[in-house]
């Protein structure tokens, strides 16, 4: 069958190449509409109780992760000219499309008592920009007397202040987000330039936008360097530019199709699907190098391009498809999960692995049978002394030093075990950016002055309608507020209690000493004033209060901001300090307190992904074993196929521990990629060994020697190209990119030992009886030097194609 496929491709190569070119242009047009998202909610199953509760929370109280904060600490902002520019900045920010609100000193709202109508009214502190320094100083005196804003807009100790910019959620995860962020940054940058006041930025919208742009820019740069380095290495190996340009062209085409498929499937590029292009390089390059090295090997024997390429496709077509299938299995298992981000990743990767297979197996035979045959100089790499020396060395230690191999493997596993014990599963909201980046410096600014900027929410359920109107319940919430405020990792909380304190201060004519919870004497007066404040616009006290209570006044929201302390410290803070405090404060009541918010979902999402990846890896092993049995019709082959995989994954995990790389979704995926690489090499070598063993009177040692000589060469080429290419990522300043380079480089080195040393040693040790003669039911059959003559139809088509090609050459 594969011979007929090869002949079909060669016969209709012009049409097929034209079809690929046209389809790629169409795919490129579709790919231009791709969007990026950093929606953490996708990481958690929609059926998870915490996720269900978070969605209910957002419906009741609104979004918690859509605020961008701009901070400053410069006393000159309180001078008249600079303050007028500050007021102008706030006013311009309000007008930006996608901004739904701005809170800062120029936009502060004060609560005032209306004794005529027995209600509270709200009014801006700065009804218009101040026109004199005396007027500004007077208004700042009013601002400083409003206790509610201390710790929220103004840092009490340092005097730092901030602008909190609320963004429309519909803009955050769309292609409009970039335009909104750019407009905001244009305005703030102009303010910095005009006033000389340094601004600091934080908040999830800013972090996500910055990570998207900076990581994307660096990934593009490193991708370009990787392509350049791979081009050089391919040229050094194959001594012809065609062997450089065509494989890289295959990679580029596959990338375009990959991005287009994301759009066609209705997905966006997220923190996992963004890794797929790197995965496709790992798939596409081996496909091309296997085909090219075997093509050169067979061309040197036959001197006929069509014949050589047909032989190549017949030899490794099925095995390469099986290899790609085993790689796809590692990702396909993710489609069985209900975690959106993993499902999308698994589906896109699976589809495009087979796209990569199809494009490489069409373009390589089609293009290289168009081009002139390789010259003698271009075939010299098959007899390269360094390569031949490596193959001879591998052959020697496999046949003569197996005990050394096993002892080395055992020693490496022991050392890896120590490294594995050092691995930590910890993640940060700002995880991949360099420690000295402006984002981390700005984050430190807010954490030192405001306690943090990452959202953390608590909901207090009194278990009865209007339960929040009962003073004992309010006192419990106030006690919990004070506990949260005392935690150094948290900002000053804001809740219904803080609103009631502000209302009491207003009731007593703005006296700061009355910023406290109403007591039995004034509670009813204050609540009646609040009840009479209905329908006074979006900034009315009652409307603002509704952001922190539900419609039945049964549940109250407590919002705090937390420093980016990492998932480990967050667990300690919540489970060792906050939860015990909740039990202590609310004991003896029916009130229930539950934590939620984007930070909680993000942390749980990492646990979900890592746990699912572990389960998926086990499923992948099982499915790969099933494929191996179907292909080789031998249960014993499962051991040979999976043993190198286990060794590679174990040693890669050890490297991860020694380099201090944390276990998180992006790094955990390396194991799936490593499984694909190692599985490809194992099956490739096993298939070649089986075919060698099927030749009459061939011993195990002869089969191993021939297998290492031919299949080993292709594997060495592939590993060398990928290792050098991915090693470039190790020089990145970004944690995730650097981890990709280090772990991919390590796994590529390790897979050479696993499959070119450890696996052949196992075969020599356990296959002395020659039990690898091919069963008739196996999909992998034997071949000999004249196997192409066994199929008369194929042979006749070969002759016809050769005649047609000669006519074309003479005509031209």
């Amino acid at each position: 069958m594969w011979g007929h496929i090869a002949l079909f491709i060669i016969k209709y190569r012009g049409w097929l190449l034209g079809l690929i070119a046209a389809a790629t242009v169409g795919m490129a047009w579709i790919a231009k509409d791709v969007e990026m998202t950093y929606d953490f909610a996708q990481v958690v199953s929609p059926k998870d109780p915490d996720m269900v509760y978070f969605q209910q929370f957002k419906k009741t109280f609104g979004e918690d992760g859509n605020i961008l904060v701009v901070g400053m600490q410069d006393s000159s902002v309180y001078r008249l000219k600079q303050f007028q520019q500050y007021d102008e900045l706030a006013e311009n920010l309000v007008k930006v499309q996608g901004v739904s609100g701005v809170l800062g000193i120029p936009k502060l709202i004060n609560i005032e008592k209306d004794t005529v109508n027995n209600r509270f009214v709200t009014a801006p502190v700065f009804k218009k920009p101040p026109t004199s320094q005396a007027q500004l100083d007077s208004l700042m005196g009013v601002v400083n007397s409003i206790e509610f804003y201390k710790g929220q807009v103004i840092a009490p100790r340092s005097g730092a202040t901030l602008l909190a910019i609320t963004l429309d959620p519909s803009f955050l995860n769309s292609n409009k987000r970039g335009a909104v962020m750019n407009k905001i940054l244009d305005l703030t940058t102009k303010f910095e330039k005009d006033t000389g006041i340094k601004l600091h930025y934080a908040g999830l919208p800013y972090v996500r936008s910055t990570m998207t742009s900076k990581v994307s820019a660096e990934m593009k740069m490193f991708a370009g360097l990787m392509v350049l380095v791979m081009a050089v290495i391919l040229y050094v190996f194959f001594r012809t530019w065609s062997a450089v340009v065509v494989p890289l062209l295959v990679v580029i085409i596959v990338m375009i199709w990959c991005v287009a498929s994301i759009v066609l499937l209705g997905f966006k590029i997220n923190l996992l699907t963004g890794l797929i292009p790197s995965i496709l390089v790992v798939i596409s390059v081996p496909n091309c190098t296997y085909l090219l090295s075997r093509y050169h090997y067979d061309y040197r024997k036959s001197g006929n391009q069509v014949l050589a390429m047909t032989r190549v496709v017949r030899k490794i077509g099925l095995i390469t498809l099986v290899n790609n299938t085993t790689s796809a299995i590692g990702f396909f298992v993710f489609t069985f999960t209900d975690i959106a981000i993993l499902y999308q990743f698994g589906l896109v990767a699976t589809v495009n692995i087979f796209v990569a297979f199809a494009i490489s197996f069409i373009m390589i035979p089609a293009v290289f049978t168009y081009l002139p045959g390789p010259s003698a100089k271009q075939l010299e790499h098959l007899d390269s002394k360094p390569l031949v020396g490596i193959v001879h060395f591998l052959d020697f230690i496999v046949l003569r030093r197996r005990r050394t191999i096993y002892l080395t493997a055992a020693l490496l596993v022991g050392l890896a075990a120590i490294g594995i014990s050092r691995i930590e599963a910890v993640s940060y909201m700002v995880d991949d950016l360099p420690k000295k980046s402006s984002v981390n410096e700005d984050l430190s600014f807010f954490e030192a002055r405001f306690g943090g900027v990452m959202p953390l929410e608590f909901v207090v359920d009194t278990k009865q309608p209007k339960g929040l109107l009962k003073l004992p319940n309010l006192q419990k919430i106030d006690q919990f507020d004070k506990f949260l405020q005392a935690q150094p990792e948290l900002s000053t909380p804001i809740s219904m209690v803080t609103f009631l304190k502000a209302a009491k201060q207003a009731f007593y004519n703005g006296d700061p000493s009355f910023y406290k919870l109403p007591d039995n004497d004034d509670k009813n007066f204050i609540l009646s004033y609040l009840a009479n404040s209905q329908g006074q616009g979006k900034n009315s006290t009652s409307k603002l209060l509704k952001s922190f209570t539900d419609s039945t006044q049964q549940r109250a929201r407590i919002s705090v901001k937390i420093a980016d302390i990492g998932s480990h410290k967050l667990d300690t803070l919540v489970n060792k300090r906050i939860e015990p405090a909740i039990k202590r404060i609310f004991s003896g009541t029916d009130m229930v307190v539950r934590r939620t918010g984007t930070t909680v979902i993000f942390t749980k999402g990492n646990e979900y992904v890592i746990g699912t990846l572990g389960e998926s890896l086990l499923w992948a092993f099982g499915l790969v074993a099933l494929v191996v049995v179907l292909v080789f019709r031998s249960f014993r082959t499962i051991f040979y196929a999976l043993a190198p995989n286990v060794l590679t994954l174990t040693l890669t995990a050890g490297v991860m521990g020694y380099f201090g790389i944390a276990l998180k979704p992006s790094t955990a995926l390396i194991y799936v990629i490593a499984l694909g690489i190692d599985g490809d090499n194992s099956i490739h070598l096993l298939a070649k060994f089986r075919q060698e063993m099927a030749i009459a009177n061939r011993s195990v040692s002869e089969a191993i020697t021939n297998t290492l000589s031919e299949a080993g060469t292709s594997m060495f080429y592939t590993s060398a190209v990928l290792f050098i290419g991915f090693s470039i990522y190790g020089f990145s300043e970004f944690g995730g990119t650097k981890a990709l380079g280090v772990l991919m480089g390590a796994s590529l080195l390790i897979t050479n030992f696993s499959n070119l040393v450890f696996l052949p040693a196992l075969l020599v040790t356990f296959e002395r009886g020659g039990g690898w003669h091919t069963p008739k039911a196996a999909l992998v059959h034997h071949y000999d030097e004249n196997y192409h003559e066994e199929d008369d139809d194929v042979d006749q088509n070969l002759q016809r194609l050769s005649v047609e090609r000669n006519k074309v050459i003479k005509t031209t």
Side-chain angles (χ1 to χ4, degrees):
M1 181 184 77
W2 287 94
H4 289 289
I5 291 174
L7 290 171
F8 177 83
I9 292 171
I10 295 169
K11 185 175 182 179
Y12 298 103
R13 55 198 169 186
W15 288 100
L16 291 172
L17 291 175
L19 183 62
I20 289 176
T24 301
V25 171
M27 288 294 192
W29 178 258
I30 295 171
K32 69 179 176 58
D33 296 324
V34 71
E35 298 179 20
M36 297 189 71
T37 178
Y38 272 81
D39 185 3
F40 296 132
Q42 293 187 55
V43 184
V44 181
S45 167
K47 298 178 183 178
D48 178 79
D50 286 338
M51 188 68 213
V52 172
Y53 190 80
F54 181 56
Q55 296 299 338
Q56 293 172 349
F57 167 86
K58 291 197 293 184
K59 288 180 181 178
T60 304
F61 299 107
E63 292 284 344
D64 71 328
N66 60 332
I67 297 177
L68 183 156
V69 289
V70 181
M72 66 191 81
Q73 185 168 6
D74 192 325
S75 59
S76 66
V77 76
Y78 303 114
R79 297 173 190 160
L80 181 62
K81 181 179 179 181
Q82 284 86 343
F83 189 86
Q84 288 174 336
Q85 292 171 310
Y86 187 31
D87 180 83
E88 183 183 0
L89 170 64
E91 191 64 36
N92 289 334
L93 288 171
V94 172
K95 298 176 183 177
V96 174
Q97 186 181 15
V99 172
S100 55
V102 175
L103 178 65
I105 290 178
K107 292 293 181 183
L108 290 186
I109 301 296
N110 195 15
I111 303 174
E112 299 174 352
K113 183 173 65 172
D114 179 0
T115 55
V116 176
N117 298 302
N118 293 331
R119 65 181 183 179
F120 292 116
V121 295
T122 56
V125 176
F126 295 85
K127 295 180 175 61
K128 58 182 180 179
T131 56
S132 68
Q133 187 66 45
Q135 185 183 17
L136 173 60
D137 293 342
S138 174
L139 290 171
M140 283 305 302
V142 176
V143 170
N144 290 323
S145 70
I146 305 174
E147 294 292 322
F148 177 79
Y149 291 119
K150 291 182 178 179
Q152 302 294 340
V153 176
I154 302 173
R157 295 180 181 177
S158 65
T161 185
L162 59 78
L163 278 172
I165 305 167
T166 303
L167 302 180
D168 186 338
S170 64
F171 282 76
L172 286 180
N173 284 308
S174 71
N175 55 4
K176 299 177 183 178
R177 181 188 60 195
V180 176
M181 294 298 302
N182 289 338
K183 182 61 178 175
I184 291 173
L185 293 177
D186 286 344
L187 292 171
T188 56
T189 301
K190 182 178 183 300
F191 172 81
E192 277 190 297
K193 184 178 179 180
D194 293 343
T195 63
I197 296 173
K198 180 174 176 55
L199 299 181
H200 303 270
Y201 305 86
L204 288 181
Y206 177 72
V207 170
R208 293 171 181 176
S209 177
T210 302
M211 288 178 66
T212 300
S213 59
K214 290 190 175 182
V215 175
S216 175
E218 191 188 74
M219 286 293 283
K220 290 176 182 176
M221 179 186 72
F222 276 110
L225 288 174
M226 184 176 74
V227 168
L228 179 63
V229 170
M230 288 172 62
V232 173
I233 301 302
L234 285 170
Y235 183 78
V236 170
F237 283 158
F238 291 103
R239 314 290 178 86
T240 172
W241 285 111
S242 60
V244 174
V245 175
V246 179
L248 294 182
L249 185 60
V250 169
V251 170
I252 293 170
I253 291 173
V254 171
M255 299 290 185
I256 294 171
W257 283 54
C258 173
V259 176
S261 69
I262 293 174
V263 177
L264 291 173
L265 290 169
F267 303 152
K268 297 179 181 179
I269 294 179
N270 55 48
L271 63 131
L272 293 188
T273 52
L275 294 174
I276 294 179
S278 298
I279 295 169
L280 293 177
V281 171
V282 174
I283 301 299
S284 302
V285 171
N287 288 347
C288 294
T289 53
Y290 285 152
L291 283 166
L292 286 175
S293 61
R294 299 297 274 277
Y295 167 61
H296 283 194
Y297 185 85
D298 275 291
Y299 180 79
R300 186 169 66 174
K301 290 181 180 180
S302 66
N304 185 306
Q305 288 177 263
V306 175
L307 179 61
M309 192 60 77
T310 306
R311 282 182 174 181
V312 169
V313 174
R314 288 194 59 172
K315 281 182 181 180
I316 66 171
L318 175 61
I319 290 305
T320 306
L321 177 60
V322 172
N323 288 344
N324 284 202
T325 301
T326 57
S327 298
I329 284 172
F331 303 101
F332 179 68
V333 291
F334 295 139
T335 61
F336 296 110
T337 179
D338 57 358
I339 301 175
I341 196 169
L342 281 180
Y343 171 80
Q344 294 175 13
F345 172 76
L347 183 58
V348 172
T350 300
V351 169
N352 285 284
I353 284 172
F354 289 109
V355 168
F357 170 81
I359 290 177
S360 58
F361 261 73
I362 291 174
M363 288 192 62
I364 297 297
V367 172
F368 281 90
T369 51
Y370 259 133
L371 298 173
S375 65
K377 184 177 180 180
Q378 292 167 356
L379 295 175
E380 287 178 356
H381 70 92
L382 297 174
D383 299 316
S384 168
K385 289 184 178 180
L387 184 60
V388 171
I390 291 172
V391 171
H392 285 170
F393 173 73
L394 295 176
D395 187 55
F396 171 76
I397 61 173
V398 166
L399 296 179
R400 304 295 177 88
R401 295 290 185 268
R402 290 188 299 284
R403 181 177 298 178
T404 302
I405 292 171
Y406 297 141
L407 288 174
T408 302
L411 177 62
L412 291 174
V413 169
L415 293 173
I418 299 173
I420 292 171
S421 67
R422 299 178 180 179
I423 295 177
E424 287 188 312
V426 60
S427 55
Y428 294 82
M429 298 285 274
V430 181
D431 213 1
D432 287 332
L433 293 172
K435 295 297 181 182
K436 295 182 180 180
S437 71
S438 60
V439 175
N440 278 310
E441 291 176 359
D442 286 353
L443 201 59
S444 298
F445 171 88
F446 287 101
E447 289 175 354
R449 293 159 180 79
F450 294 94
V453 293
M454 301 302 176
L456 180 62
E457 304 281 348
F458 296 89
V459 176
V460 181
D461 189 347
T462 63
K463 294 298 182 180
Q464 54 182 314
K466 298 190 180 298
L468 294 174
L469 301 181
K470 295 183 178 181
L471 188 58
N473 292 342
L474 292 173
Q475 290 171 338
K476 291 291 184 182
I477 296 174
D478 185 34
Q479 189 178 348
F480 185 52
D481 271 9
K482 290 176 180 177
F483 167 80
L484 293 175
Q485 188 171 0
Q487 307 310 304
E489 303 91 343
L490 302 178
S491 69
T492 302
I494 182 171
S495 66
M496 176 184 181
V497 166
T498 57
F499 272 107
L500 289 175
K501 289 180 178 181
K504 182 171 180 175
Q505 181 182 355
F507 187 78
Y508 288 98
N509 302 314
D511 187 342
S513 65
F514 284 95
Y515 183 77
K516 52 189 174 182
L517 197 64
D519 54 28
N520 281 323
D521 294 333
D522 50 29
K523 183 191 73 169
N524 292 331
F525 289 103
I526 292 172
L527 291 178
S528 66
Y529 266 58
L530 285 172
N532 293 333
S533 303
Q534 299 285 346
Q536 294 182 41
K538 67 178 182 178
N539 289 326
S540 70
T541 307
S542 60
K543 289 288 179 64
L544 294 173
L545 186 58
K546 285 181 180 179
S547 298
F548 291 89
T549 65
D550 67 348
S551 59
T552 64
Q553 296 179 330
Q554 174 178 315
R555 294 180 296 155
R557 170 191 185 182
I558 302 174
S559 290
V560 295
K561 298 294 187 287
I562 185 171
D564 191 16
I565 57 179
S567 53
H568 274 183
K569 291 182 179 179
L570 178 62
D571 286 341
T572 301
L573 172 65
V574 170
N575 296 321
K576 298 298 178 72
R577 285 153 58 187
I578 294 179
E579 288 296 337
I582 290 173
K583 291 179 181 179
R584 183 181 68 254
I585 293 170
F586 294 95
S587 64
T589 72
D590 295 329
M591 302 169 73
V592 175
V593 180
R594 186 164 181 174
R595 68 180 183 275
T596 187
T598 300
T599 301
V600 172
I601 295 300
F602 171 79
T603 304
K604 184 155 193 176
N606 283 330
E607 297 173 358
Y608 246 106
V609 172
I610 292 170
T612 304
L613 282 169
E615 295 175 8
S616 299
L617 206 57
L618 293 176
W619 275 105
F621 269 111
L623 291 174
V624 168
L626 179 61
V627 171
V628 169
V629 169
L630 292 175
V631 171
F632 292 98
R633 292 294 193 270
S634 169
F635 286 99
R636 181 170 48 182
T637 315
I638 296 175
F639 167 71
Y640 295 131
L642 296 186
N645 282 257
V646 173
L647 181 61
T648 298
L649 295 180
T650 302
L651 299 186
T652 302
V655 171
M656 189 175 183
Y658 282 116
F659 276 83
I661 299 173
L663 185 63
K664 53 187 177 180
S666 58
T667 56
L669 281 173
I670 298 296
Y671 296 107
V672 180
I673 301 172
L675 176 63
I677 297 171
D678 210 80
D680 284 1
N681 288 336
S682 299
I683 293 175
H684 190 69
L685 189 136
L686 287 171
K688 176 60 179 172
F689 176 74
R690 161 155 281 177
Q691 292 166 342
E692 290 292 332
M693 286 294 292
I695 298 176
N697 300 321
R698 180 153 289 178
S699 66
V700 172
S701 59
E702 288 177 309
I704 286 293
T705 298
N706 289 341
T707 299
L708 289 175
S709 178
E710 189 171 337
T713 300
S714 302
M715 291 163 60
F716 180 78
Y717 281 170
T718 299
S719 297
V721 172
L722 292 175
F723 170 76
I724 296 173
F726 276 101
S727 294
I728 293 173
Y729 288 107
F731 295 99
S732 170
E733 293 184 338
F734 297 93
T737 310
K738 182 179 290 185
L740 174 68
V742 171
L743 293 178
M744 281 299 299
S747 64
L748 286 163
L749 283 179
I750 294 167
T751 192
N752 276 332
F753 172 76
S754 299
N755 290 285
L756 294 179
V757 179
F758 184 66
L759 176 55
L762 291 178
L763 291 171
V764 174
T765 300
F766 296 105
E767 286 298 326
R768 290 187 178 276
W772 266 70
H773 288 287
T774 309
K776 291 182 179 180
L779 295 177
V780 180
H781 297 287
H782 73 276
Y783 66 92
D784 56 26
E785 297 301 319
N786 296 313
Y787 70 92
H788 60 278
E789 295 180 358
E790 296 171 5
D791 190 328
D792 292 338
D793 291 336
V794 173
D795 187 51
Q796 292 172 9
N797 283 319
L798 282 173
Q799 295 175 11
R800 187 179 303 113
L801 279 171
S802 297
V803 171
E804 291 174 356
R805 189 173 188 278
N806 289 332
K807 288 181 178 179
V808 171
I809 292 173
K810 290 179 180 179
T811 302
T812 56

